[in-house]
Amino acid sequence: MADGETARAKSLVIGATGLVGGYILQHLASRGERAYALSRAPRADARADWIAGDLEKPEALNAPPFATLYSTTDAILLAPALSRFFNPELKRVIAFSSTSVITKFDSEVKAEREMLRDLAAAEQDIVRTCEASKVDWTILRPTLIYAEGRDINITPLSRLIRRFRFMPLVGGAKGLRQPVHAEDLAIGALAAAASSAAANKFYALPGGETLSYKEMIGRIFDGMKLPRRTIPVPALLWRAAFVAAKPLFPGANVAMGLRMNKDMTFDATPAITDFGWSARDFHPVFDEKI
C-alpha cells in the first residue's frame, strides 16, 4: 500500500461525537487510520478530519471520497441523507439501529410506537438506497447500550441509586436483559465492515451476558460499592406513582417500568459466525463523580 493511500482516510464516521462513534474513531486511529468525521460544526481532533454538515440539511452535505461509511446516529436522520454520501469509492455502509424495533413495537406509549415505526421504515429506506447504487450494507441492532458515566440507559439509573440509595422495581423485575458496552459495538462495527459474510444483513448485537432486570440493577449497585436495596412495586402502584414523579424524570415514560418483566433478548450466533462478535459481561464500575 502506498504511503498516500495509508494516510488518506478510508472511512467516514457519522455520529462521531457520540458513544459508539467516538470509540469507532479511537479504534480506527489505533489501526493507523485518520478518518473523516461529520459534525454540525468543525472540531479539532487528532484522530479525524472533521467535516461540517447537518443531516437535516442534506442538500448542503459535501464529503470527500471514502470507502466505508459508519453511521451511529439516528437511522431516521440518516436515511433521507444517505445518498449524498455516495461516491465511486464507497463499498460498505454500516448503520446502527436498535433492537427496540422488535421489543417495543407494541408499546402502550403512542409516541414510542410511532418513533419505532419510523425507525423500521428508515432501515428499509437505507437498504433500498444502498441496493439501488449497488453498495453493500449492514444494519446493526444493539440491545441496551452503556458506557459508564456517558450513556442514557444505565448511567441515569446509577444516579438515581446514588441519590436515593434504593431502586423501585415493578413486580419481580424478571425480564431478561443483555446490556452491551459501546466500545464492544465499535469493535463489532469495524469487524462487520471487514467481513464479506456480513454484507447485506441485519444483526442483533447483545451483550455478553443475559441477566434479569433485577440482577442488572444489582450489578449497578455493585459497581458503585453500595449494598443492593430494591423495593418491589405492584404495577398499578407504579402507574400511579409515575404520574406524580413524571416532572422529576421528563425523559421517562410509564412503559419503562412495566417492561421490567418483559424479556428483551437476542441471539448473537449470526454475528459471532459472520464477523466474530464478542461482548464483555456486565460489570459496570462507577466512580463518585458519576
Side-chain angles (χ1 to χ4, degrees):
M1 184 178 293
D3 290 343
E5 186 177 354
T6 301
R8 189 178 67 186
K10 296 181 285 295
S11 306
L12 169 66
V13 182
I14 302 175
T17 60
L19 285 182
V20 180
Y23 279 118
I24 289 176
L25 283 188
Q26 176 182 316
H27 282 270
L28 286 172
S30 71
R31 298 179 183 191
E33 180 182 346
R34 181 182 173 89
Y36 295 120
L38 182 75
S39 62
R40 288 188 177 90
R43 291 172 175 262
D45 190 326
R47 301 173 302 175
D49 292 316
W50 289 83
I51 302 166
D54 187 342
L55 292 180
E56 296 186 87
K57 299 176 182 178
E59 67 282 354
L61 292 170
N62 184 23
F66 57 89
T68 305
L69 172 63
Y70 297 95
S71 177
T72 66
T73 194
D74 189 342
I76 296 172
L77 290 177
L78 174 67
L82 179 57
S83 62
R84 298 289 300 184
F85 297 100
F86 283 9
N87 67 83
E89 293 187 20
L90 182 61
K91 299 294 187 294
R92 179 72 68 85
V93 171
I94 305 292
F96 278 82
S97 181
S98 172
T99 52
S100 294
V101 297
I102 297 171
T103 59
K104 300 179 184 178
F105 74 94
D106 58 351
S107 170
E108 66 178 69
V109 179
K110 181 180 179 182
E112 197 169 51
R113 292 197 308 272
E114 291 174 347
M115 184 275 290
L116 292 170
R117 281 198 295 268
D118 290 344
L119 181 58
E123 289 182 344
Q124 294 305 316
D125 287 343
I126 290 169
V127 170
R128 282 191 290 269
T129 300
C130 288
E131 291 181 345
S133 296
K134 295 181 171 53
V135 173
D136 287 337
W137 55 270
T138 304
I139 294 181
L140 305 176
R141 293 169 169 167
T143 51
L144 193 68
I145 304 174
Y146 74 99
E148 295 92 327
R150 300 169 59 202
D151 67 272
I152 60 172
N153 297 310
I154 299 298
T155 296
L157 294 175
S158 76
R159 289 172 179 152
L160 286 175
I161 290 170
R162 191 175 297 284
R163 179 178 180 183
F164 297 107
R165 293 300 198 265
F166 73 92
M167 176 62 68
L169 299 177
V170 178
K174 297 178 181 179
L176 299 178
R177 296 294 187 272
Q178 298 164 311
V180 60
H181 198 280
E183 184 174 19
D184 294 336
L185 293 171
I187 295 169
L190 269 62
S195 170
S196 59
N200 308 321
K201 294 179 183 178
F202 290 83
Y203 292 96
L205 296 184
E209 191 172 12
T210 299
L211 60 165
S212 70
Y213 192 96
K214 181 177 181 179
E215 177 60 21
M216 182 181 77
I217 294 297
R219 300 284 181 88
I220 299 174
F221 277 96
D222 297 346
M224 302 171 71
K225 295 183 171 57
L226 294 174
R228 296 187 179 193
R229 292 196 179 105
T230 59
I231 299 175
V233 179
L236 288 177
L237 180 58
W238 171 268
R239 287 182 183 276
F242 186 85
V243 172
K246 174 65 175 173
L248 297 175
F249 310 106
N253 64 60
V254 69
M256 292 178 178
L258 301 178
R259 282 195 291 261
M260 290 182 188
N261 290 289
K262 179 180 179 180
D263 291 346
M264 296 184 179
T265 59
F266 293 84
D267 182 9
T269 302
I272 293 170
T273 300
D274 288 352
F275 55 93
W277 169 248
S278 178
R280 69 196 73 180
D281 288 348
F282 184 64
H283 294 285
V285 177
F286 299 91
D287 62 35
E288 290 291 334
K289 296 179 181 180
I290 296 177

